[in-house]
């Protein structure tokens, strides 16, 4: 008779994980899949925020100062158009700096670009919200189904009910609720943080573009400047 090889650390963890998934049943499998999707979305959004750095605003004061002095070219040279706020500010400066600017067209273009960039920042936040909402509900559903099975077993046992069997069924049922909450809590936190970040970017867009209009140099037509200020 051969001797079974001892399990390594990774094999032991994998075995425990398989047992955990089997005890939890289909609900835990679904929650695990949802957690993987949520993690992928969170990492993707974090990478997007790192690349674009949409809230970076330390250089905007200098840009607006140059623009107010009539140095449009120097102001544009500082801007990084890969950032949404910089892009809108650049469009504002270019539009206001043109001798024959069209107020209505500039307003529409700023609205279009702002909406597009904010939608890009909000992309995939809705699936994250759905996962955060459904996870605890699925966990509760798994608990209810597990409790039904546990009480069915207790009814079948009649007068010879084994408390250990009943308690085992109950903790297995409660396991799905714990998993659902474990998935939902960090997802809710990350979703709210990202939503708030997008709101701050939108506010920064509005503030920066409005200041570009109100600090336009004297060379810009006064009547057009007053009218276009509402585009922000």
């Amino acid at each position: 008779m051969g001797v079974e090889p001892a399990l390594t650390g990774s094999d032991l963890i994998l075995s425990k994980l398989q047992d955990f998934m089997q005890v939890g049943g289909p609900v835990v499998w679904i929650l695990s899949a949802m957690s993987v999707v949520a993690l992928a979305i969170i990492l993707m959004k974090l990478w997007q925020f790192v690349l674009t750095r949409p809230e970076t605003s330390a250089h905007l004061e200098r840009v607006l100062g140059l623009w107010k002095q009539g140095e449009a070219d120097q102001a544009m040279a500082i801007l990084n158009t890969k950032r949404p706020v910089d892009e809108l500010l650049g469009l504002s400066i270019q539009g206001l700096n043109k001798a024959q600017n069209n107020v209505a067209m500039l307003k529409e273009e700023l609205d279009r670009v702002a909406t597009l960039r904010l939608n890009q920042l909000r992309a995939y936040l809705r699936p994250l919200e759905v996962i955060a909402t459904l996870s605890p509900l699925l966990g509760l559903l798994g608990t209810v189904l597990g409790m039904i099975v546990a009480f069915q077993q207790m009814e079948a046992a009649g007068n010879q009910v084994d408390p250990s069997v009943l308690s085992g069924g109950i903790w297995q049922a409660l396991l799905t609720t714990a998993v659902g909450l474990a998935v939902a809590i960090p997802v809710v936190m990350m979703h709210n943080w990202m939503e708030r970040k997008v709101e701050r970017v939108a506010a920064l867009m509005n503030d920066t573009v409005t200041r570009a209009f109100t600090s336009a140099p004297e060379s810009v037509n006064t009547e057009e400047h007053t009218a276009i200020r509402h585009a922000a």
Side-chain angles (χ1 to χ4, degrees):
M1 179 180 294
V3 179
E4 294 184 359
L7 294 176
T8 62
S10 59
D11 292 336
L12 184 59
I13 294 174
L14 183 60
S15 177
K16 292 290 186 181
L17 181 60
Q18 290 175 344
D19 294 340
F20 176 80
M21 300 294 285
Q22 290 176 356
V23 169
V27 174
V28 172
W29 284 97
I30 295 173
L31 289 171
S32 299
M34 292 172 65
S35 67
V36 172
V37 173
L39 179 61
I41 293 174
I42 290 171
L43 292 177
M44 181 180 64
K45 296 302 295 182
L46 290 176
W47 181 245
Q48 180 188 24
F49 290 143
V50 168
L51 288 180
T52 59
R53 291 189 294 173
E55 288 188 271
T56 302
S57 59
H59 63 295
L60 296 180
E61 290 293 336
R62 184 184 176 192
V63 173
L64 291 169
L66 290 172
W67 165 237
K68 188 174 183 178
Q69 297 170 11
E71 303 290 343
D73 293 337
Q74 295 184 25
M76 291 293 299
I78 300 175
L79 294 174
N80 182 356
T81 54
K82 292 182 180 180
R83 299 171 184 165
V85 179
D86 287 36
E87 182 181 9
L88 277 176
L89 181 56
L91 289 173
S92 301
I93 292 175
Q94 288 177 342
L96 289 169
N97 200 40
K98 288 181 180 179
Q100 300 293 332
N101 57 55
N102 187 304
V103 174
M105 288 183 62
L106 181 57
K107 177 182 182 301
E108 291 296 326
E109 180 65 9
L110 290 173
D111 288 342
R112 183 191 69 81
V113 175
T115 302
L116 177 63
R117 297 298 175 245
L118 289 175
N119 285 338
Q120 289 175 346
L121 292 176
R122 291 192 181 102
Y124 298 104
L125 291 185
R126 183 56 61 84
L128 209 61
E129 182 181 7
V130 171
I131 291 174
T133 303
L134 289 182
S135 295
L137 296 178
L138 283 173
L140 183 59
L141 175 63
T143 295
V144 172
L145 295 176
M147 293 294 290
I148 290 174
V149 173
F151 283 111
Q152 283 179 339
Q153 293 176 348
M154 184 176 66
E155 180 184 17
N159 294 330
Q160 300 180 355
V161 177
D162 187 352
S164 63
V165 174
L166 179 60
S167 61
I170 291 176
W171 81 259
Q172 291 176 4
L174 293 174
L175 179 63
T176 58
T177 296
V179 174
L181 292 174
V183 173
I185 291 173
V187 173
V188 168
M189 293 175 60
M190 292 303 300
H191 176 267
N192 288 341
W193 176 77
M194 291 179 184
E195 280 280 6
R196 179 56 185 154
K197 190 175 185 68
V198 175
E199 290 175 1
R200 290 195 301 266
V201 173
L204 182 61
M205 283 181 177
N206 182 70
D207 177 72
T208 304
V209 174
T210 301
R211 291 180 62 189
F213 294 147
T214 57
S215 62
E218 295 297 329
S219 58
V220 177
N221 183 282
T222 305
E223 293 182 358
E224 290 181 345
H225 165 228
T226 303
I228 201 173
R229 201 165 37 179
H230 299 289

